[in-house]
Amino acid sequence: MVVVLTAVLFGAIGLVLAIGGVELVTLSGSPFYLAAGIVFILTAILLLMRRQAALWLYGLFILATLGWAILEVGFDWWQLGTRGGLVILLAFLLLSPALRRRLNGLGASPWPVAVPVLVSLGVAGYSLSIDPLDKAGTLPTEAVVQTPAYGGEVADAEWHQYGRTPFGQRYSPLAQITTENVKDLKVAWTYQTGDVKQPGDVGETTYQVTPLKIGNRLYLCTPHNWAIAIDAATGKEIWKYDPNVGLNPDRQHQTCRGVTYYADPAATAGAECATRVYLPTSDARLIALDAESGKVCTSFAENGVLHLETGMPYNPAGYYYSTSPPAVAAGKIIIGGAVNDNYSTQEQSGVIRAFDVHTGALIWNWDSGNPTRTQPIGEGETYTANSPNSWSVFSVDEQLGLVYIPLGNQVPDQIGIGRSEHVEKYSSSIVALDINTGADRWVRQTVHHDLWDMDVPAQPVLLDITQQDGTAVPALVGPTKQGDIYVLDRRTGEPIVPVSEEPAPGGAVEGDFTAPTQPLSALTFRPPKLEEKNMWGVTLIDQMACRIAFHKLKYEGQYTPPSLQGTLVYPGNFGTFNWGSVAVDPERQVMFGMPTYLAFTSRLVPRAEVPPRGQDEKGSEQGLNRNDGAPYGVYMGPFLSPLGIPCQAPPWGYVAGVDLRTGQIAYKHRNGTVMDMAALPLPFKVGVPGIGGPIITKGGVAFLGAVVDNYLRAYDLTTGRELWKARLPAGGQATPMTYALDDGKQYVVMVAGGHGSVGTKPGDYVIAYTLP
């Protein structure tokens, strides 16, 4: 019976591989899977005949598989293992004495299979000892400048803005925690907000906040836009404000990345609303709160509430909201907003507006669909529908009088038909606006005629870079979804690190077009073009399915346009970098970041084939995007195997260090494990995706959560090597921060609340760590 059962198993696997292998060969793919299917079927037949030749055949197949795998992927364990894992596992069935005793009447020798298995295990052991995809190196350790510019008067112990200061560097001058003692960090306190994901919430209900620290308090918001003040020493709640945003299934996002703090320099100390917290909400409000009491500052706007839907040409509920904290500069509060991707052509404008920080009066508006008119629009006038919006965080250089805007796309993202001249100029760009007038001083586009949702997602990071001749250049570091890092002169937008124009694929759908070239920064984390051999799977079978799917998609490399057959988009619109941005050390003038690599697919659907909307359908950027009013809808999502894991081989995530003075990548290491991705909690360091951002401290330590295995980690900034990690009670898809108390004790704070899109565990935790 054991022989028959083994033969049936081999035959079934062989049949699946042969059928899929034939399809793959017809698609001009690898013939290996067809050959493997034939070998499995022949092995099954020989087993049923009780022939020892079954072992000889299978042993030769093991060696052939090993040779094929090494030729395709070298000694990368994570690719070798999945090519040979099923093959070796089944070999142990053939080696079992119960089966061998029933072959050739008197039993069969194990060596025809055992020797190839031992050779394969030896190769596996060697490949486990190396990582051919790891880039080792070191960043310079010496300080280039002793007193760098941070962009604002923020005490070393404080964290006043999303990126600590208006420059968005995510750098702290605190140095109590070092590379030597970071391993001793312990939990100091834990606070739970009470705002948890509800059954009626949209899928992308996420906790992405970075708390602020002013004085002895932390200020933060929650996914449903509660504003909270807690004691920085104990984590005890001081006040909480709930704006009652409710639930709306049309919101694509239910999140809050942070609040904005403002201290009125003209106010009497202790007066009501002398210090304020501004809270953006998912129902398109900006609310001013007294930082001391949490009460609404009724002198601001309409009884403390600024209604951001004012002036919008269309106002469908749930389509427009602010997920990121606004910027305060020169007496103004400057804010953009998120517009639902790919819902309709009749959506709100992407206008950027500056209001009086005290009264809420509109001072200027910059609408990328009508960029030359920045004076406030009049009663009854409206902004341009669907103009490119900015949903991320701004940076400010008050000395230059500029606010830097990471700009997105016009809806729909994947269809460029009928875009105006202004939209073509400003989509997917970094724009510098005059703080006082709103006029644009310069624009640097990162994608021409964007058809891939490659909006600029990250807060631009500002620092002064010392050139080799000793001169300092005011610089801007702009990470992008496609993997380029733009290093620009922030006065003019001109490149410091060279930017070239490279040929791009064509072939857009009828009525649309593609740009003949696309910009490429010399400092880039773009991955190489995917090939069939880069397809991955836990077994040969799902790997074969990914290879078949790969060949059925339209793909000519990065910037292959969307299509009716389906297009492979790599890097996908999840981005190589996203809203977490990067962190820079302005003293050493180095950068630390988390490049992520996930392929996505997009398939255009003619309007007549878009199904009616379901009554219980909730907002999402994955699956069918309806694009009401456009000639096409689009199906979008990650490129996954039948088992729900990425089709392209890992690593899917790294940590990396860059010397900004030379524009060179110093190191790049796999980051994160499959601990919370796999069915079994196995801590294999594959290099997994994440969303969130890093911080850097003067102690030489970088901190980062973000990845999908629910850990907060500390790294040596110089080498990128992991120094410490702490298990989080939920997903840590946020950016940490650090501060110190009056006694000099340094804390690191991480929010753990999960992320709907990447499927991490939801929660409501705020956790502080410190040295014993």
Side-chain angles (χ1 to χ4, degrees):
M1 181 60 72
V2 66
V3 175
V4 173
L5 291 176
T6 303
V8 169
L9 176 61
F10 272 68
I13 293 172
L15 191 62
V16 172
L17 287 172
I19 293 171
V22 168
E23 184 177 10
L24 184 56
V25 168
T26 62
L27 293 168
S28 302
S30 170
F32 171 82
Y33 298 86
L34 174 58
I38 294 171
V39 168
F40 271 93
I41 291 170
L42 290 176
T43 302
I45 293 170
L46 291 170
L47 286 173
L48 290 173
M49 296 172 65
R50 304 300 199 270
R51 300 287 298 275
Q52 183 177 358
L55 303 187
W56 283 102
L57 175 62
Y58 198 76
L60 290 172
F61 172 65
I62 293 172
L63 294 175
T65 300
L66 180 62
W68 163 76
I70 292 173
L71 282 174
E72 277 210 324
V73 299
F75 293 97
D76 179 358
W77 158 249
W78 291 108
Q79 296 199 63
L80 281 180
T82 55
R83 282 164 171 77
L86 178 64
V87 174
I88 298 301
L89 185 64
L90 292 172
F92 286 109
L93 282 179
L94 299 180
L95 287 172
S96 67
L99 182 142
R100 288 188 294 103
R101 281 197 299 267
R102 291 164 174 79
L103 300 183
N104 278 15
L106 299 175
S109 168
W111 296 114
V113 172
V115 170
V117 167
L118 289 173
V119 172
S120 298
L121 292 177
V123 171
Y126 171 72
S127 66
L128 279 169
S129 69
I130 63 170
D131 185 354
L133 300 180
D134 183 79
K135 177 180 175 61
T138 58
L139 289 171
T141 57
E142 67 278 3
V144 182
V145 292
Q146 299 299 323
T147 55
Y150 301 133
E153 297 298 324
V154 179
D156 290 356
E158 307 270 273
W159 193 283
H160 281 200
Q161 299 192 23
Y162 182 79
R164 201 182 87 86
T165 74
F167 278 11
Q169 295 167 346
R170 293 162 181 77
Y171 172 80
S172 171
L174 298 177
Q176 186 182 79
I177 298 170
T178 67
T179 55
E180 287 73 31
N181 64 23
V182 67
K183 66 183 184 303
D184 299 322
L185 283 179
K186 304 293 181 186
V187 174
W189 52 258
T190 299
Y191 169 74
Q192 290 185 255
T193 67
D195 184 1
V196 295
K197 190 172 183 177
Q198 303 294 325
D201 272 319
V202 295
E204 183 133 335
T205 298
T206 63
Y207 203 7
Q208 302 174 350
V209 69
T210 298
L212 308 182
K213 191 268 185 179
I214 296 95
N216 62 353
R217 294 184 179 187
L218 299 184
Y219 298 98
L220 57 124
C221 55
T222 70
H224 294 94
N225 307 125
W226 302 355
I228 301 174
I230 58 179
D231 187 283
T234 64
K236 300 295 184 184
E237 183 180 302
I238 298 171
W239 57 256
K240 179 189 294 184
Y241 172 80
D242 180 1
N244 297 307
V245 297
L247 302 179
N248 187 324
D250 282 337
R251 294 175 192 152
Q252 280 182 333
H253 305 270
Q254 186 68 60
T255 192
C256 185
R257 295 188 186 94
V259 295
T260 301
Y261 177 82
Y262 172 70
D264 185 352
T268 304
E272 185 176 335
C273 293
T275 57
R276 299 183 182 188
V277 168
Y278 291 90
L279 172 69
T281 70
S282 55
D283 59 356
R285 291 179 288 164
L286 181 65
I287 304 173
L289 304 172
D290 188 322
E292 287 300 310
S293 66
K295 295 179 180 179
V296 174
C297 297
T298 56
S299 60
F300 178 75
E302 298 178 33
N303 293 316
V305 178
L306 189 62
H307 294 278
L308 298 174
E309 72 274 15
T310 302
M312 295 299 177
Y314 304 104
N315 190 31
Y319 281 40
Y320 181 83
Y321 35 83
S322 185
T323 58
S324 298
V328 171
K332 304 168 188 67
I333 187 161
I334 307 169
I335 191 168
V339 177
N340 276 356
D341 276 340
N342 300 339
Y343 265 39
S344 168
T345 58
Q346 295 185 347
E347 294 195 20
Q348 291 93 333
S349 173
V351 62
I352 311 299
R353 287 171 286 187
F355 301 91
D356 186 291
V357 73
H358 305 107
T359 68
L362 180 62
I363 297 175
W364 56 255
N365 37 237
W366 184 80
D367 178 358
S368 56
N370 185 18
T372 58
R373 182 182 176 185
T374 59
Q375 65 271 27
I377 63 171
E379 187 73 26
E381 292 185 286
T382 58
Y383 302 111
T384 309
N386 290 348
S387 54
N389 65 305
S390 184
W391 52 267
S392 192
V393 186
F394 308 157
S395 298
V396 174
D397 185 334
E398 283 205 59
Q399 187 172 348
L400 291 178
L402 296 177
V403 55
Y404 301 92
I405 312 293
L407 209 59
N409 312 308
Q410 181 185 64
V411 175
D413 296 324
Q414 283 75 28
I415 305 167
I417 300 171
R419 292 178 181 171
S420 71
E421 177 185 354
H422 294 314
V423 169
E424 293 287 9
K425 177 180 178 179
Y426 292 104
S427 285
S428 303
S429 66
I430 301 169
V431 180
L433 301 182
D434 188 296
I435 292 173
N436 293 313
T437 68
D440 65 271
R441 295 268 197 91
W442 58 258
V443 56
R444 170 62 57 175
Q445 190 167 60
T446 66
V447 182
H448 306 318
H449 194 64
D450 186 357
L451 301 175
W452 306 272
D453 192 22
M454 292 295 165
D455 49 346
V456 181
Q459 179 184 22
V461 181
L462 313 182
L463 78 160
D464 296 340
I465 294 180
T466 303
Q467 304 285 70
Q468 297 303 319
D469 61 4
T471 59
V473 177
L476 176 150
V477 178
T480 64
K481 285 184 176 180
Q482 59 270 27
D484 292 333
I485 304 286
Y486 285 84
V487 184
L488 310 173
D489 186 322
R490 67 177 183 267
R491 297 168 297 189
T492 64
E494 291 302 308
I496 297 172
V497 172
V499 175
S500 60
E501 290 285 336
E502 303 296 327
V509 292
E510 185 178 355
D512 206 343
F513 67 93
T514 59
T517 65
Q518 293 289 355
L520 172 65
S521 173
L523 173 54
T524 186
F525 285 90
R526 291 191 192 188
K529 181 181 177 181
L530 286 175
E531 302 179 52
E532 183 194 320
K533 67 182 182 180
N534 302 127
M535 297 302 103
W536 200 65
V538 175
T539 69
L540 284 177
I541 295 171
D542 56 312
Q543 183 183 107
M544 177 182 67
C546 283
R547 290 183 183 233
I548 292 170
F550 174 78
H551 282 290
K552 288 183 175 180
L553 292 166
K554 181 177 181 179
Y555 181 64
E556 300 170 26
Q558 193 167 14
Y559 301 120
T560 302
S563 62
L564 294 170
Q565 77 182 73
T567 292
L568 184 63
V569 182
Y570 185 63
N573 67 343
F574 190 79
T576 305
F577 297 96
N578 208 292
W579 52 262
S581 195
V582 296
V584 302
D585 181 332
E587 294 187 22
R588 294 164 60 177
Q589 299 181 10
V590 298
M591 183 200 99
F592 183 85
M594 182 191 67
T596 294
Y597 301 99
L598 280 179
F600 271 60
T601 62
S602 67
R603 179 171 62 86
L604 298 178
V605 185
R607 174 56 47 201
E609 299 175 21
V610 176
R613 182 173 178 179
Q615 288 187 344
D616 59 348
E617 194 174 315
K618 293 182 179 178
S620 175
E621 290 180 292
Q622 297 184 19
L624 176 63
N625 285 226
R626 304 186 60 83
N627 291 338
D628 290 338
Y632 301 96
V634 60
Y635 279 99
M636 295 175 53
F639 184 34
L640 302 179
S641 78
L643 299 180
I645 60 176
C647 264
Q648 105 253 11
W652 305 303
Y654 291 86
V655 290
V658 173
D659 183 344
L660 292 171
R661 297 184 70 202
T662 64
Q664 298 300 308
I665 299 171
Y667 58 77
K668 191 176 176 186
H669 307 306
R670 295 176 192 257
N671 185 45
T673 70
V674 292
M675 184 84 175
D676 296 290
M677 290 180 71
L680 297 174
L682 302 172
F684 295 146
K685 191 172 183 179
V686 175
V688 296
I691 189 163
I695 65 169
I696 292 173
T697 69
K698 191 181 172 102
V701 182
F703 290 94
L704 174 68
V707 293
V708 295
D709 64 354
N710 300 351
Y711 281 97
L712 172 65
R713 291 180 168 87
Y715 309 81
D716 186 326
L717 175 61
T718 301
T719 65
R721 296 301 179 185
E722 184 179 308
L723 302 172
W724 167 87
K725 65 180 178 181
R727 183 75 169 153
L728 297 172
Q733 283 68 57
T735 301
M737 53 83 72
T738 185
Y739 64 90
L741 298 177
D742 292 341
D743 60 5
K745 195 170 189 62
Q746 184 180 354
Y747 293 75
V748 175
V749 170
M750 184 70 196
V751 164
H755 194 287
S757 287
V758 298
T760 50
K761 182 180 177 181
D764 64 340
Y765 299 89
V766 183
I767 307 170
Y769 302 85
T770 192
L771 295 171

